[in-house]
Every structure is written in C-alpha cells, then in structure tokens.
C-alpha cells in the first residue's frame, strides 16, 4: 500500500518514513503491532530530535519517559507535543504488556498521534517550505485477505466498533449557528447518569420532537441545537415582534415579568395615555420579554405601541436622540395632557441618560425628566423609587437580580431552571431529543460528554453558585444573551473540530466541562471573569495534601476515584486507567491532571467537605442578606469590622486613638476618635426570600453625639480588604489608590475626632507617648507623658 500520510518524511528522514510505511501496511491486519511500532517510531523520532541539537547530550540511554521529560524541560517539546508523546507511550506500553486482538480504536489513536508529532517535527526541523497535508485515515490494503475483512466486520457488531463504523463512514460533525432566551417554572428533575443511559437506549426510537432540518450521516443534532445558544447565532437576535418555539421552550419566568404584566393591565384600565419605560442594559432580555408577553397575551399588547431604541429608526439621517424625541412627542410638556397614546419604550439606560441630558429633554420634556429623576434609576446603590405616575411607569431590569437572597445563602431559580431545561428529559426539549438522536446514530463528541455531565444536578448547582459568585465579587452584569453563550462555551470546546474519535485521554481531559469553565478566558468576558474564581489559585492545606498524593501516585485513576464521584463521567473514568504512574508523565500532562483534580473537587467531590469554601465570601453573603433585610443585630459584627478598619487603616497607638499624621518618622500625631453606628437609613424588609436587593451594603458612623452620619458603600472587594486588615494586613500605595472612596470616608470620619481638645504625640523610636489636652474650665493646655 502506498503511504498516504507520512510520505513527507521520506526525503530527509527515510528511516522514520519506513517505520510509518510498515505501520500503514499492517494497520488492519495487526493493530497491536501498530501500537508497538508506534512506540518504536517515537523513540527514533526523539533520538533524531536530539541529533538536531548540538547542546543537548545524547538521550539514547534514557528511558522513553525520561527523554520526553528532558526535552520538555529544555523547551524543545511544546506542551501539546509533549502530551502527544505521552499518549504514544501509553498506547505502546499497553500493547507491549497485554495482547489485545484487533484493537482498532487504539490503533487509530496511535496513527493520528504519530501524524501530529511528525508534522510538528517537519515544521521545526524539516523544510521551511513544508506544508502539512490533511490527515487521512489509513485505507485497507488491496491485498488484505477476506479473513481479516470478515473479522473486522464481526468487530463492528460491538458498541465500540459501531461507533467506529459511523465515524469511519461519515464526515465529522459540523455545526449550524444560532442563540437562545429564557424558561418556565417547574420542579427540577434530577437526572442521574445511571438513569440517562438506560433512558436513551429505551427511548431512542421514540423521538417526539421533529426537527425542521436533516443532517448528513455522522453529523450531530445536539451540536446543532447547542450552537443556537451562541451570541453569533440567529436565535440571539431578539425581536419584540417575534417569538419562536425554541425561545418559548427556554423562557424562564422571572418576577419582572409579573410586574410588567401588572403595569400593562393597570394601564389599560385608565382612559389617559401611558408611557411605560422598560429599562436595562444590552442583551438583558427586554425584547425577549416583550415578545413573550405579546405571544402569550396578544390582546394586552395590542393596545400599546412598542418602540425599541436599539433596533428602530424612522430616518437614517437621524440619530437615536432625534428619533426618541419624535417617538416621545405625544408625551412632551405641550402634548401630554391631551395625548391618547399608549407607548412601551424598551430603552437602554445609557441612551435614556443621554436623552434626559439632551436639549430635547431640557426644552420640551421637563415632566418626563422629573419623573426619571425621581425614580433614581441611574443610581447604582438605589432601587428604583416612585415608579408609577399619572402618565409614566418605569420598570428597570437593573432592579431585578438573576438570583435571590436567603438566610442560608443565595439561590437562583432563574439560572437553575434554565440549566435544568437544557438537559431535562422531556418530549419538548430540543436539546435532549437531539442528544437522544445522536446516541441512536452513534454520534459522539466532547460536547456529548459535557452535556451528560451537565445532567448532574450537583454540577448544575455548582455552576449556578459560580455565576452568583462572579456577579457579587466582580460586579459582572450577566445578560441573558451572555448566559446562553456561556452555556454553549462550557459544553462545546473552542476547537470543536478536533477529532474526538482519535482523541487520547489527556485531550479529552482538557476539554471536560470543569476545564472549559476555567480555561476559557479568551472566549468571553464572562468566562474571563470566572477564571478569577479558579480553585487552583487558592492555597489550602487540603489541596496541597491531595496534590502530593496525586504526584506520588502509581495509579492516577485510583487517586482521582479516592476523592471524586466520577459516575457522571464514567467513559472518561474508564479511559483514565491508561494514565499509569504520575511521575512518568510529561510536565504538561502532569499540570493538566493537577488542575483537573482540583477543579473536579468543586463539582463532583466524593465528600462535600472537600469542596473549597471561601469564608470571606460566605460571611459577606450573610451580611448582605441582613443589610437588605434591615436587620441591625445581624450587622453588629460588620459594623465592628468597619470601625476596626478605620483605626487599622491609619494605624493606632492605643485603643480609641487613631493616627492623624505619620509623615514624621520620629514623632507621630494621633487623636481620640469616638464614633457610633448609624442605622436610620436601613429599611426593614420582612420577606424571607429577597428578589429585589442591593449587591452592596450602605453603612454609616456618626459622631459621639450620634449625629452627622458619614456613609460608606461596602462592596465585596472593600469587605475583603477590611477582613485582611483585621488579620494584620497593612495597606500599600496601590490599596489606597484602589480604595479611594474608603480613604475619603475615613478622612470624613476623622473630622468627628477630638483633635481640638486633645492630641497624642508618639515617639516612634523610643515608644514614648505624650498627651496635649485642653481644659475648658481653666482655658489652658496641659502636656504630660502617658
């Protein structure tokens, strides 16, 4: 058989080309020999690499694993190529120690890895004009005897070879492109891995959802459906006048929907005109919500004109402000009292702000502008007030968080329901029906493995927790569009065209859902933010002990199973047995497994106590709940922490005193500071579950007469600084630049001190303290040593 993959080696490296030709000649007759010869090829290739470097000593005497590690350490092998050599070594070892008749799947993996390292070798050490050919699977030899063919056909009756047969005869899975919206209330159905496989096998002939498209054999229905979640897809384009079946399935009811419906109904009961502002940010679901209500209650919206400031324009020569002024003409100061028009204005807050500040508003829309001003819609730390008016109503998406606060911590019915809908075993779920169709057609892929992992309720709960955590810690606004794109990106690798059938264990590991979540910073702003929450960045004794055990393990699979419940990734767990001893891996492979184990602890720990917990974040959530509840006693520790932080930020010579000036290294000046917590701004909320709330906490301290309160807004980054101060941390120059509002707050609080009546002087070198005080009765100063 003429070689069709490695002929490019023949001119410069004939020995390597000959080995590859032998491999392709015997590929279908003796797959096990292919594995062993593949290992021989890797040894010869590594020897050839060392010959190309004068400064690298001969590595021929080293074991194969030591050669790989040595060349990787010398940065001769890239991370990916080192992993490929690991895979070749594992496959070759398995064939050398056990006879496996017609192990075609492993032979295909070996063949593809040999091609990858050969292409890399030619690109680095071969001809600069070299252009890599397209990879082709080995073709059966013309002289392959009938007995071999017959045995191959028998092998195709097994589930493994059925998978191979589909892959062998079909093109790789390709994707369409589109996105998605929201969901409907329902009880979360827990779909466990042991159930889903049997469900697929039992029901794969009973698909009840008819797709409006047909794919070629081997292509993926699930991948096509998942692609609709992308921001670049057609489904991502929202139109308040259209609502597809796909979007209806994913619609998730939120409290803002009920509030908008109430406003619409109350507005239709009056004879006067009404302007309803539906405000928010880009992609948060304004158009989707209007489309849903129009779809569900057509008679209700038929009484309103809908204008979307982001999508509609009457004249290409007019900008958005010109268009808005025209649309809002019935509600200007001159026409509003006689207007009979009902209008819904879906508008981004930035555009609304620009309009209120424009000459149009200042000259003709004073009543409207006053209403917007009274609503305080542009103040981040304030929930919208006075939302209703004789002529105006305002509902802002920014007032509605995608999660709820409870005494036991935050939960998100919105996120949880949406994720559950994507994997729900139901007849009207296009994703699950597509998944079943793929299973029936023997279509596999990285996205299938991750979809099955998402079926676990534990995994979905951790994903929801991560989304809430990134919102609170980093003030990320997650639009519905961004959320759906996120779901796509954690299921479908960026390099989705990578050959799944020939992927080795490490390649599959790299594309597992936990790794896609924390390694996807280049794919979206949201994933970049979530990367900051990667548990591998945390230094915990528990993690250190687990990693020490892994790094000394002779059986990687056993160590993973000791700490993780891998029933959700059974296929990967089975393949992990080929990884062997940890110390025989390249550094790139070792680091990947280290990261994977720690990340998996976040999603599928065998013991919940192994799940890493951020104590600062947990305590912040408790205080955030009590702050929004208006619970004074629940905020006692937070107020004490704030008071201590004031003294610790500037430093204190003794309790009750704080430094005013530490510029002089010899003598430093301090004052007595007595302040009291202020609570009058807190509003009591008797609801147990909070749907509308602040993401920050507004605290205040007043003077010793309990007057003149000074307010400070505490977000998570500032809270973390305060906790660190209490543990002995001293702020540096960058901290003071980052916490400018806190610095200004302290400067104002310092005005409540008693510097007019008393000052303390501290000798920094000798540690002596002197007090200068004023006696009002005798109108004289005294100076004495403390």
């Amino acid at each position: 058989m003429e070689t069709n993959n490695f002929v490019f080696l023949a001119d410069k490296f004939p020995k390597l080309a000959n080995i590859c030709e032998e491999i392709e000649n015997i590929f279908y007759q003796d797959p096990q020999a292919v594995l062993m010869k593949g290992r021989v090829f890797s040894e010869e290739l590594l020897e050839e690499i060392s010959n190309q470097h004068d400064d690298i000593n001969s590595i021929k005497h080293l074991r194969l694993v030591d050669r790989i590690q040595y060349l990787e350490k010398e940065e001769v092998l890239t991370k990916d190529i080192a992993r490929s050599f690991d895979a070749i070594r594992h496959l070759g070892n398995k064939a050398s120690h056990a006879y496996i008749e017609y192990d075609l799947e492993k032979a295909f993996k070996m063949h593809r890895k040999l091609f990858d390292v050969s292409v890399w070798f030619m690109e680095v050490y071969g001809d600069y004009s070299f252009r890599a050919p397209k990879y082709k699977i080995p073709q059966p030899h013309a002289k392959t005897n009938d007995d071999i063919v017959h045995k191959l056909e028998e092998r195709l009756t097994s589930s493994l070879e059925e998978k191979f047969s589909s892959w062998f005869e079909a093109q790789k899975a390709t994707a369409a492109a589109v996105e998605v919206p929201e969901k409907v209330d329902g009880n979360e159905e827990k779909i466990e891995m042991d159930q889903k496989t049997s469900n697929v096998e039992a029901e794969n002939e009973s698909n009840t959802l008819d797709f409006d498209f047909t794919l070629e054999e081997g292509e993926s229905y699930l991948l096509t459906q998942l692609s609709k979640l992308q921001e670049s897809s057609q489904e991502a384009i929202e139109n308040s006048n259209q609502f597809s079946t796909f979007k209806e399935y994913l619609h998730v009811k939120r409290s803002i929907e009920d509030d908008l419906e109430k406003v619409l109904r109350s507005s239709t009961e009056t004879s006067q005109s009404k302007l309803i502002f539906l405000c928010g940010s880009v992609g948060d679901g304004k158009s989707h919500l209007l489309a849903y209500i129009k779809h569900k209650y057509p008679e209700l919206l038929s009484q309103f004109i809908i204008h979307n400031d982001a999508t509609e324009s009457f004249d290409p020569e007019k900008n958005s402000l010109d268009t808005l002024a025209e649309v809002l003409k019935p509600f200007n100061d001159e026409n509003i009292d006689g207007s009979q028009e009902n209008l819904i204005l879906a508008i981004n807050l930035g555009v609304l702000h620009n309009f209120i500040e424009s000459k149009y508003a200042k000259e003709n829309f004073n009543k409207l502008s006053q209403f917007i001003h009274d609503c305080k819609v542009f103040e981040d730390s304030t929930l919208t007030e006075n939302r209703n008016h004789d002529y105006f109503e305002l509902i802002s998406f920014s007032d509605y968080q995608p999660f709820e606060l409870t005494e036991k911590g935050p939960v998100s019915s919105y996120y949880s329901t949406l994720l559950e809908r994507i994997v729900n075993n139901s007849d009207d779920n296009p994703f699950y029906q597509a998944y079943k169709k793929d299973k029936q057609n023997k279509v596999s892929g990285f996205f299938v493995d991750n979809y099955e992992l998402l079926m676990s309720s534990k995994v979905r709960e951790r994903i929801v927790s991560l989304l809430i955590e990134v919102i609170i810690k980093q003030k990320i606004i997650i639009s519905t569009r961004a959320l759906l794109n996120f779901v796509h990106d954690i299921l479908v690798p960026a390099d989705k065209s990578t050959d799944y059938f020939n992927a080795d264990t490490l390649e599959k590991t790299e594309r597992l859902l936990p790794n896609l979540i924390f390694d996807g910073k280049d794919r979206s702003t949201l994933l970049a933010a979530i990367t900051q929450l990667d548990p591998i960045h945390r230094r915990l004794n528990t993690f250190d002990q687990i990693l020490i055990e892994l790094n000394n393990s002779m059986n990687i699979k056993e160590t993973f199973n000791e700490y993780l419940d891998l029933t959700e990734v059974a296929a990967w767990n089975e393949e992990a047995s080929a990884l062997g001893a940890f110390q025989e891996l390249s550094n790139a492979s070792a680091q990947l497994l280290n990261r994977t184990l720690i990340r998996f602890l976040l999603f599928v720990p065998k013991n919940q106590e192994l799940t890493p917990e951020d104590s600062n974040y947990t305590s912040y959530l408790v205080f955030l709940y009590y702050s929004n509840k208006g619970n004074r006693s629940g905020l006692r520790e937070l107020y004490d922490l704030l008071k201590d932080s004031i003294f610790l930020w500037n430093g204190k010579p003794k309790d009750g005193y704080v430094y005013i000036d530490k510029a002089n290294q010899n003598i430093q000046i301090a004052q007595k500071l007595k302040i009291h917590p202020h609570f009058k701004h807190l509003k009591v909320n008797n609801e147990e579950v909070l749907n509308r709330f602040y993401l920050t906490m507004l605290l205040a301290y007043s003077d010793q007469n309990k007057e003149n309160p000074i307010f400070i807004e505490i977000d998570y980054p500032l809270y973390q600084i305060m906790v660190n101060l209490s543990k002995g941390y001293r702020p540096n120059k960058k901290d003071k630049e980052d916490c400018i509002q806190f610095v200004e707050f302290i400067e104002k609080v310092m005005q409540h001190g008693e510097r007019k009546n008393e000052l303390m002087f501290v000798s920094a070198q000798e540690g002596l303290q002197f007090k200068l005080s004023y006696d009002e009765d005798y109108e004289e100063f005294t100076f004495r040593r403390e």
Side-chain angles (χ1 to χ4, degrees):
M1 178 181 71
E2 181 181 1
T3 181
N4 60 3
N5 273 289
F6 301 92
V7 66
F8 56 81
L9 292 170
D11 289 341
K12 288 197 171 187
F13 308 102
K15 185 175 183 180
L16 296 175
N18 289 337
I19 297 175
C20 291
E21 185 175 2
E22 291 178 11
I23 287 174
E24 294 202 335
N25 282 333
I26 64 171
F27 191 87
Y28 293 99
Q29 290 98 325
D30 194 351
Q32 187 164 17
V34 169
L35 302 179
M36 291 187 288
K37 285 183 177 292
R39 179 188 169 99
V40 172
F41 175 86
S42 68
E43 292 176 340
E44 293 293 338
L45 182 59
L46 290 175
E47 179 67 17
E48 188 61 50
I49 290 173
S50 67
N51 293 337
Q52 301 291 324
H53 293 265
D54 294 335
D55 57 339
I56 294 181
N57 296 326
S58 174
I59 57 174
K60 193 171 184 178
H61 65 284
L62 297 177
R63 296 184 307 156
L64 179 58
V65 61
D66 295 326
R67 298 185 210 178
I68 297 171
Q69 292 175 348
Y70 176 81
L71 292 175
E72 182 190 27
K73 182 180 178 181
E74 294 296 321
E75 299 183 348
V76 173
L77 303 182
T78 66
K79 177 183 70 173
D80 292 337
I81 294 301
R83 287 182 187 172
S84 294
F85 275 109
D86 276 342
I88 292 170
R89 184 178 60 81
H90 286 143
L91 292 168
N93 286 349
K94 191 174 183 67
S96 299
H97 294 96
Y99 179 70
I100 307 172
E101 186 180 14
Y102 301 114
D103 196 350
L104 274 177
E105 183 187 23
K106 291 182 174 57
F108 272 106
K109 292 181 189 295
M110 173 66 83
H111 187 266
R112 182 55 193 260
K113 288 301 174 188
L114 295 179
F115 178 80
D116 290 343
V117 298
S118 297
V119 166
W120 168 83
F121 177 70
M122 279 295 295
E123 289 175 339
V124 176
Y125 300 101
D127 192 339
Y128 285 113
S129 63
F130 170 72
R131 293 293 180 269
K134 183 178 180 181
Y135 174 76
K136 298 177 182 179
I137 61 174
Q139 299 301 310
H141 196 286
K143 296 182 179 179
T144 301
N145 62 50
D146 293 339
D147 183 57
I148 293 293
V149 174
H150 178 68
K151 290 185 177 181
L152 284 173
E153 290 175 348
E154 289 181 348
R155 283 276 287 165
L156 292 177
T157 60
S158 70
S159 60
L160 175 63
E161 293 305 329
E162 285 177 358
K163 179 175 67 175
F164 160 69
S165 180
S166 297
W167 174 87
F168 186 86
E169 297 173 0
Q171 300 177 1
K172 292 190 181 86
T174 56
V178 211
E179 194 229 293
V180 189
E182 315 180 346
K183 154 187 179 180
V184 152
D185 286 336
N187 295 327
E188 177 164 334
E189 180 181 356
K190 298 185 180 297
I191 307 174
E192 303 301 334
M193 279 296 296
D194 58 344
Q195 296 176 321
K196 65 184 175 225
T197 302
S198 61
N199 287 340
V200 171
E201 293 174 350
E203 301 173 19
N204 57 14
E205 297 294 339
S206 61
N207 291 341
T208 58
L209 187 66
D210 294 327
F211 295 106
D212 57 359
F213 55 87
T214 302
L215 300 179
E216 297 293 330
E217 184 178 3
E219 293 184 340
S220 169
Y221 283 87
L222 177 59
L223 186 58
T224 302
Q225 294 301 109
L226 291 175
S227 67
K228 296 180 180 180
L229 302 176
Q230 290 179 283
E231 287 184 321
S232 59
S233 70
Q234 184 64 31
E235 287 287 344
I237 302 174
E238 292 290 357
N239 189 318
S240 57
N241 296 314
Q242 297 179 357
F243 201 77
S244 65
T245 303
F246 188 82
K247 292 180 179 180
E248 183 175 11
Y249 174 75
L250 281 173
H251 177 74
V252 180
K253 190 172 184 180
R254 300 169 62 182
S255 56
I256 191 173
E257 179 184 328
D258 291 331
D259 290 348
L260 178 58
E261 183 184 341
K262 290 177 184 177
V263 167
L264 291 172
R265 294 195 181 281
S266 64
S267 298
T268 58
E269 295 173 357
T270 64
S271 58
Q272 64 187 30
S273 62
K274 204 74 169 184
L275 170 57
I276 299 175
F277 291 92
L278 184 60
C279 305
S281 55
V282 177
D284 56 12
K286 296 184 294 295
S287 295
H288 169 81
L289 180 57
L290 289 173
Y292 177 77
I293 291 181
K294 187 172 185 177
H295 171 76
K296 189 175 182 180
Y297 308 108
E299 76 290 346
L300 186 58
L301 278 191
S302 65
Q303 304 179 51
F304 291 86
I305 298 172
I306 299 175
H307 178 77
N308 190 323
D309 80 280
T311 60
E312 298 178 17
S313 177
F314 301 142
D315 189 337
E317 296 183 359
K318 292 183 178 181
N319 61 33
S320 60
L321 298 183
D322 298 332
T323 303
L324 270 180
E326 188 172 339
V327 169
L328 296 175
K329 189 174 181 179
F331 297 93
N332 65 23
D333 297 335
E334 180 181 352
N335 299 326
I336 191 169
D337 291 332
S339 175
Q340 297 297 316
E341 189 167 311
N342 289 328
L343 173 66
I344 300 174
L345 179 61
I347 187 168
N348 292 335
L349 287 171
V351 178
L352 179 60
H353 182 271
N354 291 339
F355 180 77
I356 295 301
E357 295 297 320
S358 71
K359 64 177 183 178
Y360 290 114
K362 293 177 180 178
E363 294 176 0
N364 301 306
F365 293 90
N366 290 295
K367 292 181 180 179
L368 186 153
S369 298
Q370 187 60 48
F371 167 74
I372 298 297
H373 176 75
D374 293 340
C375 287
K376 301 180 179 180
V377 70
F378 302 123
E379 298 182 19
D380 293 336
S381 60
T382 304
L383 297 179
T384 304
E385 300 175 1
N386 304 319
R387 297 188 299 164
N388 60 323
H389 182 274
D390 290 343
Y391 299 107
F392 309 115
E393 298 273 0
L394 188 145
I395 294 179
S396 176
F397 268 83
S398 60
D399 290 339
Y400 298 82
Q401 301 297 339
F403 61 95
E404 301 81 47
L405 284 182
T406 73
E407 190 170 11
K408 295 182 179 180
V411 295
S412 176
S413 56
Y414 173 50
Y415 290 158
S416 298
T417 309
L418 181 60
L419 291 178
E420 190 273 336
R421 269 192 162 264
I422 291 174
V423 298
N424 182 31
N425 179 0
S426 66
D427 293 339
D428 57 345
N429 180 1
F431 300 99
Y432 189 76
Q433 294 302 321
Y435 164 74
K436 290 204 305 181
K437 202 171 185 70
D438 279 357
K439 283 292 187 180
Q440 179 182 352
N441 295 337
K442 308 300 180 184
V443 175
S444 55
F446 305 110
F447 56 91
V448 175
D449 294 345
N450 288 329
Y451 184 80
E452 291 176 346
L453 191 55
L454 190 66
M455 287 179 176
S456 165
S457 59
K458 293 184 296 184
V459 172
R460 296 198 302 275
E461 287 172 7
R462 291 308 306 166
I463 292 174
V464 170
S465 296
L466 278 174
L467 291 170
I468 296 173
E469 187 173 354
V470 79
I471 290 173
I472 291 176
K473 286 187 173 182
Q474 301 186 43
K475 300 182 181 179
I476 294 292
I477 298 175
I478 304 178
S479 67
T480 301
R481 188 180 304 171
L483 174 64
L484 295 172
N485 188 75
F486 163 80
V487 175
H488 171 273
D489 287 349
I490 66 174
L491 297 179
V492 183
D495 53 348
K496 60 186 176 185
S497 61
T498 299
D499 183 2
Y500 178 83
F501 186 83
N502 283 329
D504 59 60
T505 305
L506 292 170
E507 288 177 313
K508 291 180 178 179
T509 301
E510 192 170 27
R511 293 164 178 81
L512 286 171
L513 184 149
N515 286 327
L516 293 185
I517 286 182
F518 294 115
D519 285 335
K521 64 179 180 179
D522 296 328
R523 302 188 71 180
S524 71
T525 302
L526 177 54
L527 281 174
I530 290 179
T531 300
Q532 303 302 313
L533 307 180
D534 194 339
I536 66 172
H537 298 320
R538 303 186 61 191
R539 293 302 306 270
L540 300 175
N541 290 333
T542 304
F543 286 179
D544 291 341
Q545 292 301 316
I546 291 175
L547 291 179
I548 289 173
E549 183 173 340
L550 176 63
N551 281 254
N552 289 282
S553 173
M554 298 302 294
N555 189 316
I556 294 171
K557 177 181 176 179
E558 287 183 0
T559 305
F560 268 71
N561 280 274
E562 180 181 352
Y563 295 103
L564 303 174
D565 178 8
L566 295 176
T567 55
E568 314 296 350
V569 281
W572 178 87
N573 190 29
E574 182 179 349
E575 287 195 16
S577 59
L579 293 174
F582 190 89
Q583 292 181 347
E584 294 188 350
L585 295 173
S586 66
N587 183 64
S589 299
Q591 292 302 318
L592 171 62
L593 291 173
N594 280 333
R595 295 196 303 270
T596 302
L597 177 55
I598 296 302
R599 289 167 177 171
F600 259 118
L601 286 172
L602 194 66
F603 295 94
V604 288
K606 185 163 286 186
N607 185 337
Q608 288 299 325
E609 294 180 359
L610 296 174
T611 301
E613 182 177 292
D614 187 338
S615 58
N616 289 353
Y617 175 65
T618 302
S619 59
Y620 181 84
L621 292 174
V622 173
F623 293 135
L624 186 65
Y625 177 74
Y626 286 135
S627 175
N628 283 280
K629 287 276 292 181
N631 186 324
R632 293 189 182 189
S633 60
L635 296 174
R636 178 188 293 274
E637 292 183 11
L638 180 61
Y639 266 95
D640 290 343
L641 178 63
L642 175 59
K643 183 177 180 179
D644 291 341
S645 298
I646 295 171
F647 286 87
L648 292 170
W649 186 270
N650 280 8
K652 59 179 183 177
K654 59 185 295 187
D655 289 343
Y657 288 81
V658 60
Y659 284 114
I660 299 174
D661 181 16
K662 296 180 68 177
N664 191 316
Q665 295 183 356
N666 296 321
I667 301 295
Q668 298 171 350
I669 305 172
Q671 70 167 339
K672 188 175 184 180
L673 180 64
K674 188 175 183 180
I675 51 179
H676 296 273
H678 179 83
F679 301 105
K680 291 182 180 179
H681 62 289
L682 294 178
K683 296 180 180 179
V684 176
N685 188 336
N686 293 320
E687 296 179 356
E688 293 301 316
V689 178
L690 306 181
N691 294 293
R692 295 179 73 229
F693 51 87
Y694 305 108
L695 290 177
T696 58
M697 299 171 285
L698 191 64
L699 272 60
Y701 264 100
S702 56
D703 59 26
Q704 58 183 339
N705 297 319
K706 298 186 178 181
E707 298 177 351
N708 305 312
I710 307 297
F711 291 88
I712 178 66
E713 184 180 347
I714 299 178
D715 57 11
Y716 181 78
L718 177 55
Y719 175 76
Q720 197 167 29
I721 285 287
M722 291 163 53
V723 172
N724 291 340
L725 287 170
S726 69
K727 296 179 179 179
Y729 178 76
R730 290 296 172 260
N732 54 38
K733 183 179 180 181
K734 185 178 184 304
D735 293 325
K736 294 180 180 180
E737 293 173 351
D738 293 341
C739 302
I740 186 65
Q741 290 183 331
F742 188 56
V743 172
E744 292 174 352
F745 165 75
I746 292 176
E747 290 176 351
K748 293 177 181 179
V749 170
M750 292 289 284
Q751 302 305 314
H752 291 334
E754 300 183 20
R755 67 179 71 188
K756 293 183 180 179
N757 299 319
E758 179 182 307
L759 287 174
M760 177 176 287
F761 297 86
V762 180
S763 173
Q765 295 180 344
E766 299 177 3
L768 301 177
Q769 297 178 352
F770 302 88
K771 184 182 293 184
L772 175 66
S773 57
Y774 179 71
D775 190 326
E776 292 184 355
D777 294 331
Y778 295 98
E779 297 182 346
E780 64 180 13
F781 289 94
T782 61
F783 186 78
R784 59 185 175 83
R785 178 178 171 180
E786 285 289 288

